[in-house]
Amino acid sequence: MRLTEEVGDYVADFPRHGGYRGPTAEQRAALAEGVATVLDGRLDSARERLSAVDYTVRTARLAGTDRTVAEITEKHRTDRGWGRVYIDLDHRVRWSVQVPHPRSDLDTELIGAGLFARTPGGVLVLAGAPRDAGTGISADMAHRRDSVFDAICDELVARRLPGIQVHGFADDSSPGHDIVLSPGPDAADPAPARRAAKRLPP
């Protein structure tokens, strides 16, 4: 599996509008429990749990490595927009990378896939629709607590796995910088607190 190509092909079919349906609490729980069961190394049990929401677990060798990864994905493509998860099966899982806005924040899905592919022991959580695919902010995974994406990230947090969430930003939001590192929203200030910014050489 060439992961960046796989992910690129997946998001290329996303509609710009539409293509997202919010899950029920039971559906969120089924996906999060399926991910947890894969993390525990019980793939057959995970497939059984995930089948309730028409998801499954596939395994593949990651191109250019000796690593096998699990892909948690829909059995058949739908317009639900709940996304995919990739898990390294050959190393103890130690970290995650999360992509909440594929196709909305330029190439963040490829950045996330590249980080996962280069660094063993990871989990890649990939949203299944652009941020404007639903009504209002219903498909904006960075700002919803009632999504499959959030339920899976909660499971990773419960396991004390540090995570990196990849976002894009407009040039005028941080002039002169190509990379912005942030610890996330501050409880006292809803705007992310930028800890470091860097200008890449031409």
Side-chain angles (χ1 to χ4, degrees):
M1 172 194 293
R2 297 188 180 279
L3 188 59
T4 54
E5 293 179 13
E6 177 95 6
V7 167
D9 289 345
Y10 173 58
V11 306
D13 292 335
F14 287 178
R16 294 302 301 177
H17 301 282
Y20 181 75
R21 285 186 283 142
T24 65
E26 292 77 14
Q27 290 166 331
R28 295 196 303 272
L31 265 297
E33 289 166 12
V35 169
T37 308
V38 173
L39 289 169
D40 292 337
R42 298 183 289 125
L43 271 62
D44 288 340
S45 295
R47 290 185 182 99
E48 182 176 351
R49 184 69 179 104
L50 291 165
S51 67
V53 285
D54 202 33
Y55 265 68
T56 191
V57 182
R58 301 179 182 132
T59 60
R61 183 72 65 183
L62 198 60
T65 75
D66 59 356
R67 292 157 55 200
T68 300
V69 300
E71 178 188 65
I72 300 171
T73 185
E74 290 182 303
K75 292 180 180 178
H76 311 287
R77 192 72 178 257
T78 71
D79 63 351
R80 297 181 298 184
W82 294 350
R84 290 180 176 179
V85 179
Y86 296 87
I87 299 173
D88 187 336
L89 296 177
D90 288 329
H91 297 82
R92 181 176 65 85
V93 171
R94 298 175 289 108
W95 70 288
S96 75
V97 56
Q98 306 150 18
V99 182
H101 301 143
R103 289 208 68 190
S104 298
D105 291 350
L106 184 63
D107 291 339
T108 54
E109 63 275 357
L110 303 182
I111 294 170
L115 285 171
F116 175 87
R118 289 194 300 272
T119 311
V123 178
L124 168 60
V125 187
L126 177 64
R131 71 196 310 168
D132 54 357
T135 303
I137 64 166
S138 63
D140 187 343
M141 295 300 102
H143 297 96
R144 301 295 302 191
R145 295 304 311 272
D146 57 354
S147 67
V148 165
F149 187 92
D150 184 76
I152 292 167
C153 290
D154 277 352
E155 175 62 32
L156 301 178
V157 169
R159 291 169 179 259
R160 303 182 66 82
L161 297 177
I164 301 167
Q165 197 167 103
V166 185
H167 291 262
F169 61 95
D171 287 340
D172 59 4
S173 66
S174 188
H177 300 107
D178 295 305
I179 297 173
V180 175
L181 302 179
S182 166
D186 186 309
D189 180 0
R194 294 187 183 115
R195 289 291 177 88
K198 181 178 182 180
R199 180 68 179 175
L200 296 180

